[in-house]
Amino acid sequence: MNKKDLIGHLETIAVYMEIKGENPFKISAYRKAAQALEYDERSLGEIDEAGTLKGIGKGTAALIKEWRENNGETELMNTLTEEVPEGLIPLLKLPGLGGKKVSKLYQELDITDRDSLEQACLTHEVQSLEGFGAKTEQKILEALAEEGKRPERLPIAYMLEMAQKLEASLETVRDVRKYARAGSLRRVEESVKDLDYIMSVKDAEHVRKQLVELPEVAKVINDGTSKVSIEIKGEYNVQVDIRLVEEEDFASTLHHFTGSKDHNVQMRQLAKERNEKLSEYGIEDKDGRKTTFQDETEFYAHFGLYFIPPEARLGRGETDTFQEPYPYIEKKHIRGDLHMHTTWSDGSLSIREMVEEVKKHGYEWLALTDHSKYLRIAHGLDEDRIRRQMEEIQNVREKEKNIQIFAGIEMDIRPDGTLDIDDDVLKELDVVIASIHSSFSQSEKEIMNRMEQALKHPEVNVIAHPTGRLLGRRDGYKVDLDRLMKRAGETNTALELNANPNRLDLSADWLRKAAEHDVRIAINTDAHNSGMLDHMDVGISIAKKALLQPDQVINTMSAEQLKKWLQHKKQ
DNA sequence: GCCGTTTTCGGCCCGACTGTTTTCAGTCG
């Protein structure tokens, strides 16, 4: 019985109520209550009175009390499940079907699940219903056939790749003034449903024609005057929504379609308080006079706010935070990259080549951190090869006066909790990153024992990819992150934000917590080739989402400061 | 169902698109 179960309970109530045709505001009240619980950092045990949370009133507070006392059951939910067949719930996910339509299908045609829906479509009973038609029926059949073929949302790593490919094509479209990413891609969410773009055009008609004829288009979904939706080909096909706007509306539209939805709701409330109406086209005062903006900075300034980075537009209080200038971390603060691999283990560039690539990023320093010997598959380094690598690093150092090179290792924490490299060698290295690459299925106790051995070791500076997750593929090992953060704070060990978009480990939510524990964060690309060094941008985005400040991130230190910090634990 | 320094009642974000209609409801983001 945890908070997640309760949140699920409230959300399920909302879903059932949609089919029952309840007042939409009542339905959204249950969703808001679920959200209030989700955004509260405390566990359920720590929340005494749920009714004190904004968005939870008397009614829901009583329901939560009942839920707690009744082992996760409530009278309301029991009634709802009696009244609404369970098989209707998944039908809400089919595109084009909402509560009203599903309810009608149930009441008029006795449809209770996907099979009876399919039957009714095949016998054309559906198209005879009021408000339905032949097209609706056909679309339902198509949706049923497509169902389950692709996950609803895809991992950001996949979507970034799709976006980059598409953008190469968008560059060739004529009569476009400029375009920008919007939506969850621009907010750099961990998973993304579809790709959104805002495009300022000289000739909308001409641009539309070119867009629907791009070579990667699999299907045109809709083709309106201000919005073109296409599906592009890939391992999974992806929907792309492109809004075509006039130059003067670009900033407002970009803001609107960057979202998040919750952020927009908060912004519209601010507008309303000022007797203005906010929409994608900008701001209208009560006399219908429209204000437009050069850019989003101007847009926010209109509301007395400082620019809120897209990643942090979550509807979680940022419209309060940014009433004052907030010193969030940015690319310009980053002075080095602390985690990368060369041909000495499983990287694809030599030391010299890697250093050349890193220099292109304008950093002051870098750390080379190949794998250690336990990771045989990656040709990890033993003590002897570490010493030889240090010699080569020294040779490169002597020729490289413009960038400081730290010698490091990404050392395995073995399954029994012992560390993979002898202490006397660790002492000679500048940077030691410790990480888990094996026995992922161990119990939390065993995993935490391994973490503990690394944390308390005086030579270990950073714990890499603390949860071991791979987005969309693997959950990671059972780590008690609260405990890990507490101990990282006590031992002055940094935790990694692995910037690889397949990992994003730690997540933004845990980074916020780490900051509360006063834990230092290392934004690491874990680069195995030159292109992966660019993942620093993704890492910075996640750090922005967590509203990390420069002094919480060790990449912002100068080489001298970092040297000092690396020594600090040993004293 | 929630909320309130104009309010304890009457609002609750806003607009586009589709498919159904023949002026609009439902869905979606």
Side-chain angles (χ1 to χ4, degrees):
Chain A
M1 297 290 290
N2 58 36
K3 195 159 91 171
K4 230 184 185 157
D5 296 325
L6 175 57
I7 291 167
H9 192 86
L10 294 170
E11 279 168 352
T12 311
I13 288 175
V15 170
Y16 273 93
M17 284 183 162
E18 263 180 44
I19 296 178
K20 269 201 74 187
E22 285 277 8
N23 177 348
F25 296 109
K26 186 170 167 181
I27 296 169
S28 95
Y30 280 101
R31 294 222 160 91
K32 272 184 196 155
Q35 210 173 48
L37 286 166
E38 193 163 14
Y39 287 167
D40 194 287
E41 306 243 312
R42 295 170 295 171
S43 74
L44 195 55
E46 291 162 341
I47 303 172
D48 297 332
E49 274 301 328
T52 56
L53 293 178
K54 192 171 156 52
I56 300 183
K58 263 192 194 164
T60 312
L63 180 102
I64 291 172
K65 189 159 175 277
E66 183 193 353
W67 180 88
R68 283 177 138 150
E69 288 167 357
N70 212 9
N71 216 11
E73 273 192 46
T74 61
E75 198 58 41
L76 175 60
M77 191 67 233
N78 290 341
T79 314
L80 286 169
T81 45
E82 269 170 37
E83 289 172 349
V84 180
E86 202 182 347
L88 293 178
I89 303 300
L91 302 185
L92 287 172
K93 294 227 161 165
L94 298 175
L97 286 190
K100 297 250 168 67
K101 284 220 161 95
V102 169
S103 169
K104 189 148 206 166
L105 290 166
Y106 171 50
Q107 276 160 17
E108 310 264 329
L109 296 178
D110 250 344
I111 284 163
T112 54
D113 54 25
R114 55 155 298 150
D115 287 347
S116 45
L117 176 60
E118 192 168 20
Q119 270 311 311
C121 286
L122 291 172
T123 55
H124 303 306
E125 287 175 86
V126 170
Q127 60 172 279
S128 61
L129 283 181
E130 194 191 337
F132 290 72
K135 275 197 171 172
T136 314
E137 195 175 83
Q138 191 53 35
K139 283 207 162 173
I140 292 173
L141 280 172
E142 280 167 23
L144 284 170
E146 282 296 312
E147 199 193 8
K149 266 196 188 164
R150 69 154 265 196
E152 212 177 327
R153 301 177 72 83
L154 289 161
I156 180 94
Y158 178 78
M159 294 300 250
L160 279 170
E161 224 182 282
M162 293 294 278
Q164 275 158 10
K165 278 188 208 153
L166 174 68
E167 284 160 20
S169 278
L170 292 182
E171 294 295 333
T172 68
V173 176
R174 290 183 304 277
D175 285 334
V176 174
R177 283 200 186 86
K178 61 181 172 187
Y179 71 91
R181 292 178 182 180
S184 50
L185 182 73
R186 183 165 183 239
R187 299 198 310 275
V188 195
E189 300 290 352
E190 290 176 3
S191 66
V192 171
K193 190 168 165 216
D194 44 34
L195 301 178
D196 291 302
Y197 289 90
I198 311 301
M199 207 172 248
S200 151
V201 294
K202 290 175 202 153
D203 178 352
E205 191 52 38
H206 186 213
V207 170
R208 268 171 61 191
K209 275 193 193 130
Q210 294 176 78
L211 289 175
V212 297
E213 278 167 16
L214 288 176
E216 46 271 89
V217 172
K219 176 160 113 183
V220 178
I221 297 164
N222 60 49
D223 187 6
T225 49
S226 64
K227 172 184 163 180
V228 177
S229 291
I230 51 178
E231 195 175 291
I232 57 170
K233 295 176 222 161
E235 189 191 337
Y236 297 105
N237 284 4
V238 167
Q239 183 170 335
V240 184
D241 295 334
I242 303 167
R243 321 265 157 178
L244 309 176
V245 298
E246 297 290 329
E247 180 72 15
E248 57 168 15
D249 293 328
F250 189 83
S252 303
T253 313
L254 179 60
H255 175 269
H256 179 86
F257 286 106
T258 296
S260 63
K261 207 176 163 185
D262 292 334
H263 175 79
N264 285 357
V265 167
Q266 291 185 351
M267 291 304 295
R268 288 202 202 94
Q269 276 159 358
L270 286 182
K272 215 168 178 180
E273 283 164 23
R274 301 160 54 97
N275 273 323
E276 293 171 339
K277 192 175 71 175
L278 175 58
S279 78
E280 64 195 88
Y281 298 115
I283 292 164
E284 271 182 28
D285 65 16
K286 56 184 191 306
D287 302 322
R289 272 191 301 261
K290 184 169 136 183
T291 314
T292 57
F293 304 94
Q294 280 293 312
D295 53 34
E296 286 184 325
T297 302
E298 224 180 60
F299 174 88
Y300 280 112
H302 179 84
F303 297 98
L305 298 175
Y306 289 84
F307 177 80
I308 303 176
E311 295 90 339
R313 299 177 194 171
L314 304 172
R316 293 173 66 171
E318 66 275 4
T319 48
D320 293 330
T321 308
F322 280 82
Q323 285 176 13
E324 305 290 330
Y326 182 92
Y328 59 88
I329 185 146
E330 293 180 81
K331 182 75 182 280
K332 65 182 183 198
H333 298 123
I334 301 293
R335 296 163 98 162
D337 192 340
L338 205 74
H339 182 168
M340 64 194 72
H341 299 264
T342 71
T343 47
W344 281 75
S345 62
D346 59 351
S348 60
L349 299 178
S350 68
I351 291 177
R352 193 174 297 275
E353 288 166 337
M354 198 62 171
V355 171
E356 281 309 312
E357 291 299 325
V358 174
K359 276 164 69 181
K360 292 180 188 164
H361 288 256
Y363 297 149
E364 290 172 30
W365 51 263
L366 68 108
L368 296 165
T369 54
D370 277 302
H371 289 289
S372 68
K373 61 179 182 281
Y374 184 83
L375 216 57
R376 279 192 148 153
I377 192 167
H379 197 217
L381 277 58
D382 60 15
E383 284 77 359
D384 190 44
R385 288 182 67 220
I386 291 175
R387 289 209 162 98
R388 280 193 280 140
Q389 191 192 35
M390 285 169 74
E391 282 169 26
E392 188 179 329
I393 290 174
Q394 188 53 36
N395 286 337
V396 176
R397 264 182 196 142
E398 281 161 18
K399 294 179 189 103
E400 288 292 350
K401 297 300 173 200
N402 294 327
I403 190 160
Q404 179 123 12
I405 307 168
F406 293 109
I409 189 87
E410 182 184 8
M411 173 182 65
D412 261 73
I413 311 170
R414 298 191 201 114
D416 63 0
T418 56
L419 302 180
D420 199 29
I421 297 296
D422 293 343
D423 282 1
D424 51 341
V425 176
L426 292 182
K427 276 189 191 126
E428 294 171 32
L429 289 161
D430 303 312
V431 182
V432 177
I433 297 175
S435 57
I436 287 179
H437 290 113
S438 56
S439 300
F440 287 0
S441 55
Q442 282 180 340
S443 68
E444 184 177 293
K445 200 177 156 200
E446 288 170 301
I447 294 288
M448 288 313 290
N449 171 54
R450 292 166 83 178
M451 290 291 191
E452 182 66 29
Q453 298 307 317
L455 285 162
K456 72 182 187 193
H457 194 286
E459 302 296 333
V460 171
N461 308 114
V462 181
I463 304 285
H465 42 75
T467 76
R469 69 174 182 168
L470 289 176
L471 289 170
R473 280 184 288 172
R474 177 174 93 195
D475 279 343
Y477 28 81
K478 296 187 194 69
V479 54
D480 176 351
L481 281 170
D482 279 313
R483 167 117 194 109
L484 182 75
M485 296 197 169
K486 187 162 171 286
R487 291 291 292 142
E490 287 165 2
T491 57
N492 206 21
T493 311
L495 295 180
E496 180 175 85
L497 158 52
N498 192 298
N500 186 312
N502 291 294
R503 291 187 180 270
L504 302 181
D505 185 4
L506 294 168
S507 70
D509 279 343
W510 284 108
L511 289 171
R512 277 179 196 245
K513 279 211 167 176
E516 282 170 25
H517 280 87
D518 211 21
V519 174
R520 292 289 164 275
I521 300 298
I523 306 179
N524 292 338
T525 61
D526 195 358
H528 286 66
N529 57 48
S530 66
M532 289 169 81
L533 290 167
D534 295 335
H535 289 157
M536 183 59 78
D537 290 329
V538 185
I540 293 166
S541 282
I542 300 302
K544 281 183 188 169
K545 195 180 287 299
L547 292 179
L548 292 189
Q549 302 186 6
D551 60 0
Q552 292 168 324
V553 175
I554 62 177
N555 308 64
T556 65
M557 293 179 178
S558 68
E560 283 313 306
Q561 288 170 321
L562 182 64
K563 246 187 214 168
K564 251 194 191 159
W565 185 84
L566 291 168
Q567 293 297 322
H568 185 73
K569 188 171 175 182
K570 297 164 197 170
Q571 288 154 13

